[in-house]
Amino acid sequence: MAHKYKEEAVIIHQEEICPGVYSMWMHADKIALEAKAGQFIGIYCQDGSRLLPRPVSICEIDKDDLAVRIVYRVAGKGTDEFSHMRTGMPLNIIGPLGNGYPQKSKKAFLIGGGIGIPPLLQLAKDLDCDKQMILGYQNSDTFLSSEFSEYGSVFVATEDGSVGTKGNVLDVIKKQELTADIIYACGPLPMLKALKTYALEQGIECWISLEERMACGVGACLGCVCRSVHKDEHTHVNNKRICTEGPVFVAEEVDI
C-alpha cells in the first residue's frame, strides 16, 4: 500500500478556466512523487471552523518538478476559500489518497462527466493504448477538452447541444459507433449507473470512480459508504468506504 503524507504545499499558479471552475498547480514533494491517476488529495481549510479536509481529485502529476494539479468547482465555503488563494501561498494537504485506476493495455474509453473529467487527464497521459476520450458537459464551457486532444481522439457531448453531440456520453458512443475493450469513468452517479449497465450488456471491463460521493476523504466521517457485492474484510458486511477502498472500483463490485 502506498504511503500517505501530510505536507505543506505551495501554490505555483491558479486560474479560473471557466465560470466557477479553477485550475491550481502546487508543489507537493512527497505526494507528487507517489501519486497516480485516479487518486485524490485532502485539502485543509485555513478557517479553523472547518476541521476535515476537502477531498479533491488529482488532475495531473509532474514528477520531475514534484508538483500536482487539481481542477475543482467552487461548491461550498471550503472550495470558495481555495479559489481566492494565490501564487506562493501555503496549503496544508494530505495524500495521495485512494487506490487510483488500474492501467491496462486495452482499447479504452475514458469517459468523464462534468467535474469528474479532471482525474482522467493524467490517466490519458499514462495509458499506452488506443484511447477515445468521451467528455460530457452541460454547455459550451468545455474545460480541459483541448488538453485531452493531445493524447487521443476526443468526443464531446453537451446537454444543450452547443458543442459536439447533443445528449450524454452514451449518445456519443451510439452515434459515432465507437467500440472499446475497457472503460475508465468518473462523473455523476446517473452517468456511472448507465455505463455500468452498458458495460455489462456489451461484456466490457469497466472501472468507475465514485469520488462524487466522498465527504471527508480520510475515512473519518463514514459519509461515503456504498454497498458492495463482497463483504468488507474488517466489518464483515457488504459495505465499502469509497475514500479508503476506492474511489475506483470495478463496476460489478458496487451496487449503484
Side-chain angles (χ1 to χ4, degrees), residues 6-238:
K6 187 174 182 181
E7 61 180 306
E8 185 178 83
V10 177
I11 297 173
I12 301 169
H13 176 70
Q14 174 160 246
E15 63 179 321
E16 188 175 20
I17 56 176
C18 76
V21 176
Y22 289 80
S23 169
M24 179 195 291
W25 275 101
M26 65 183 85
H27 281 300
D29 295 358
K30 295 177 180 178
I31 292 173
L33 200 58
E34 205 157 325
K36 63 180 182 179
Q39 292 185 300
F40 63 100
I41 59 174
I43 308 177
Y44 290 89
C45 297
Q46 294 181 337
D47 185 332
S49 67
R50 295 187 281 273
L51 297 178
L52 292 173
R54 268 46 181 177
V56 182
S57 61
I58 296 172
C59 176
E60 286 189 87
I61 307 158
D62 186 336
K63 293 187 182 295
D64 293 328
D65 290 337
L66 299 179
V68 294
R69 180 190 186 191
I70 59 171
V71 172
Y72 64 96
R73 175 176 283 122
V74 173
K77 292 181 179 179
T79 46
D80 181 64
E81 177 186 307
F82 305 149
S83 73
H84 290 90
M85 301 186 77
R86 297 293 177 259
T87 299
M89 296 180 69
L91 203 57
N92 290 317
I93 65 175
I94 185 171
L97 302 172
N99 57 356
Y101 289 101
Q103 297 182 18
K104 305 188 179 184
S105 298
K106 297 181 177 182
K107 185 179 181 182
F109 284 152
L110 277 65
I111 303 179
I115 208 62
I117 290 170
L120 296 174
L121 183 56
Q122 184 63 43
L123 183 64
K125 295 168 66 175
D126 291 344
L127 284 176
D128 185 17
C129 64
D130 182 8
K131 301 178 286 286
Q132 298 170 98
M133 279 72 78
I134 306 168
L135 311 177
Y137 303 89
Q138 291 184 333
N139 51 41
S140 59
D141 292 327
T142 56
F143 57 92
L144 299 180
S145 60
S146 61
E147 296 184 50
F148 275 94
S149 66
E150 298 178 30
Y151 308 106
S153 301
V154 174
F155 301 88
V156 169
T158 51
E159 292 180 13
D160 64 2
S162 56
V163 180
T165 298
K166 183 175 182 178
N168 58 42
V169 293
L170 279 174
D171 293 325
V172 173
I173 293 172
K174 294 170 184 176
K175 183 174 181 179
Q176 301 292 334
E177 299 182 344
L178 304 177
T179 61
D181 300 313
I182 188 170
I183 294 172
Y184 300 100
C186 184
L189 204 55
M191 184 193 88
L192 298 180
K193 288 181 178 180
L195 289 174
K196 177 182 178 180
T197 300
Y198 170 80
L200 287 171
E201 291 173 349
Q202 300 297 318
I204 302 172
E205 184 177 354
C206 182
W207 293 85
I208 58 176
S209 175
L210 298 179
E211 64 163 24
E212 182 192 42
R213 294 179 59 178
M214 288 192 298
C216 74
V218 293
C221 70
L222 301 181
C224 66
V225 172
C226 68
R227 288 195 56 79
S228 60
V229 173
H230 299 103
K231 293 185 185 297
D232 178 83
E233 61 183 21
H234 301 296
T235 61
H236 305 292
V237 295
N238 293 78

